[in-house]
Amino acid sequence: MESLLRCLALAGIIGFVVGATPPWTPCKVHGKTPLFTPTKVDLNPIGIKSGSDVVFTIDGVNTAHAVSAGIFDVRVSKKMTIKLPWGGVATKEIALYSESKSLCERADCPIPTGDVSFTYVKHIPGYTPPGDYSIKLVAKEEGTNEILMCLDVEISVSIFKANRKTMIAAS
């Protein structure tokens, strides 16, 4: 019994260290469903900290046609809640960051029909405030601007706390 509990604890630790599935939903653009259907979104590491790298791996199925080139757009926003002086609260989503890169930097081109995997690696600056963030990932085919993928992902960032070992390793 004790060995079974140790195995389960070890499996839990391995699952925690390897990666996590953040809350995500496929989104529609201009009322159309994209041609790439996400099946899995992984985030590594769990517990994103400011000052560290984060890796998104998005697996899915390309139900359209082979894609030779495209654009991969990323938009990051944060919901801010403000207490109003006369009572109540107001919530506003504020755009914080955006970038557009070649789709072929995120997946092997040409992208075939069938199973596809996108990888997105981003450094979270050390000055990033802790909190919850919304990320919209959109892939468009070059030339036609046809939406290949649209994904909304929710992440949470915490503060990176350096200790003596990390400070020595950084120098």
Side-chain angles (χ1 to χ4, degrees):
M1 181 67 166
E2 187 176 323
S3 62
L4 175 63
L5 290 174
R6 284 184 186 165
C7 288
L8 289 173
L10 180 60
I13 290 168
I14 290 170
F16 180 77
V17 171
V18 169
T21 301
W24 62 275
T25 55
C27 49
K28 293 184 178 186
V29 178
H30 307 297
K32 293 183 179 179
T33 301
L35 304 173
F36 174 82
T37 306
T39 55
K40 181 179 175 188
V41 177
D42 278 333
L43 183 63
N44 197 358
I46 298 173
I48 300 168
K49 298 199 181 323
S50 58
S52 66
D53 289 344
V54 62
V55 179
F56 289 92
T57 305
I58 305 160
D59 297 329
V61 179
N62 177 8
T63 59
H65 51 274
V67 177
S68 59
I71 303 295
F72 191 85
D73 290 329
V74 178
R75 308 249 181 270
V76 179
S77 59
K78 182 167 179 49
K79 285 187 181 175
M80 305 295 285
T81 303
I82 302 164
K83 288 186 180 181
L84 302 172
W86 52 86
V89 294
T91 303
K92 175 79 174 158
E93 193 155 326
I94 299 170
L96 299 174
Y97 175 80
S98 67
E99 75 176 25
S100 290
K101 300 263 181 162
S102 167
L103 182 61
C104 299
E105 290 180 33
R106 308 287 179 233
D108 293 331
C109 286
I111 298 170
T113 56
D115 294 341
V116 178
S117 184
F118 293 93
T119 301
Y120 177 64
V121 180
K122 191 65 187 168
H123 180 75
I124 308 296
Y127 55 80
T128 304
D132 297 330
Y133 293 84
S134 299
I135 302 172
K136 183 176 284 285
L137 306 161
V138 178
K140 296 181 262 186
E141 186 172 14
E142 193 171 292
T144 64
N145 272 343
E146 185 172 19
I147 303 298
L148 302 171
M149 176 187 75
C150 183
L151 194 60
D152 288 321
V153 181
E154 301 295 322
I155 66 166
S156 192
V157 174
S158 61
I159 296 174
F160 176 73
K161 293 186 180 178
N163 61 29
R164 186 166 157 55
K165 288 181 184 177
T166 58
M167 291 170 60
I168 292 169
S171 57

